[in-house]
Amino acid sequence: MGRSFAKWYDFFMNPLEKRKFKQIRNELLLKAAGNVLEIGSGTGVNFPFYQNADKVTAIEPSGDMIEHSLPRKMQAVVPIEVIQANAEKLPFEDNTFDTVVATLVFCTIPNPEQAIMEIQRVCKPGGKILLFEHVKMENPFLGGLQEMLTPAWKKICDGCCLNRDTIGLLKSEGITINKVQKYFGDLFLYIDAVNK
């Protein structure tokens, strides 16, 4: 499933990327400054958007995704290093990064609570945490539908969960949320936060 998912990911995401996501990514990633960590870089869709980072270290668990990201790495205007690693066990020292970025990745992390604790550990106190994620919707009917569809969706879409409460996870770990912007109702969230 992994190789096939990596191969077709950009094709299926392209309509959303061209219409709205490109604008959202641009706005979010302009805020990524200093020494930046990207969690779950996938096919490298964010790489061309980094303008103000000194360096980006991107982690991605899938070797197939890393392979597909290399052309975009070459297009980047800032230095980017891609490392095969999991978000739940980041191979970095404490307080290493000024900014941590995650876009459309928390839905697939098997243990998101552990990933958030790891982000807090490697991000400097007061460092930026910038996220663009799809989450469980507040509407009871739509949220219930997401719960119902998640088991099958996970199998089709390489572990993607439709019912993640990413805001709740961040708050439970004491991360300060400065701004939340909602898109497509409240299915997608732009989250500007600060590490404690």
Side-chain angles (χ1 to χ4, degrees):
M1 182 65 180
R3 180 171 289 277
S4 175
F5 187 74
K7 181 180 178 181
W8 291 102
Y9 180 83
D10 285 332
F11 175 79
F12 285 114
M13 290 297 291
N14 194 48
L16 282 170
E17 292 292 348
K18 284 176 102 171
R19 290 180 61 203
K20 191 67 182 173
F21 288 5
K22 182 177 180 180
Q23 173 193 333
I24 296 166
R25 289 182 193 278
N26 187 55
E27 183 183 340
L28 187 77
L29 297 170
L30 281 174
K31 295 182 178 182
N35 190 15
V36 176
L37 172 66
E38 180 173 340
I39 303 291
S41 54
T43 61
V45 69
N46 287 333
F47 293 170
F49 293 98
Y50 288 107
Q51 301 292 323
N52 300 316
D54 296 329
K55 177 190 176 185
V56 175
T57 303
I59 66 115
E60 168 56 49
S62 165
D64 296 317
M65 285 288 199
I66 291 172
E67 187 179 323
H68 283 275
S69 76
L70 297 179
R72 287 186 173 126
K73 178 184 171 187
M74 301 305 293
Q75 295 170 16
V77 297
V78 302
I80 294 178
E81 179 184 13
V82 184
I83 297 170
Q84 190 166 6
N86 293 314
E88 297 97 330
K89 192 173 182 182
L90 296 172
F92 310 111
E93 299 292 327
D94 296 359
N95 307 323
T96 298
F97 298 99
D98 302 294
T99 307
V100 178
V101 169
T103 62
L104 304 180
V105 68
F106 264 91
C107 56
T108 59
I109 296 173
N111 187 339
E113 295 88 353
Q114 181 63 32
I116 289 171
M117 286 190 284
E118 278 290 274
I119 286 170
Q120 286 183 291
R121 180 183 67 76
V122 302
C123 186
K124 294 175 183 176
K128 297 175 189 175
I129 298 174
L130 305 172
L131 304 142
F132 173 53
E133 297 290 339
H134 73 78
V135 297
K136 183 178 177 181
M137 300 179 81
E138 293 173 11
N139 177 287
F141 173 75
L142 295 175
L145 195 59
Q146 287 174 296
E147 290 284 356
M148 187 177 72
L149 291 173
T150 288
W153 188 261
K154 279 176 72 174
K155 291 176 184 174
I156 297 166
C157 294
D158 212 33
C160 176
C161 298
L162 296 170
N163 59 350
R164 286 277 160 90
D165 177 14
T166 305
I167 291 282
L169 290 170
L170 294 170
K171 287 180 176 177
S172 71
E173 297 301 329
I175 291 173
T176 302
I177 297 172
N178 289 333
K179 176 183 177 183
V180 176
Q181 207 160 311
K182 299 177 180 180
Y183 297 93
F184 300 95
D186 58 352
L187 177 58
F188 292 92
L189 302 181
Y190 166 123
I191 304 165
D192 184 332
V194 176
N195 195 26
K196 63 180 180 181

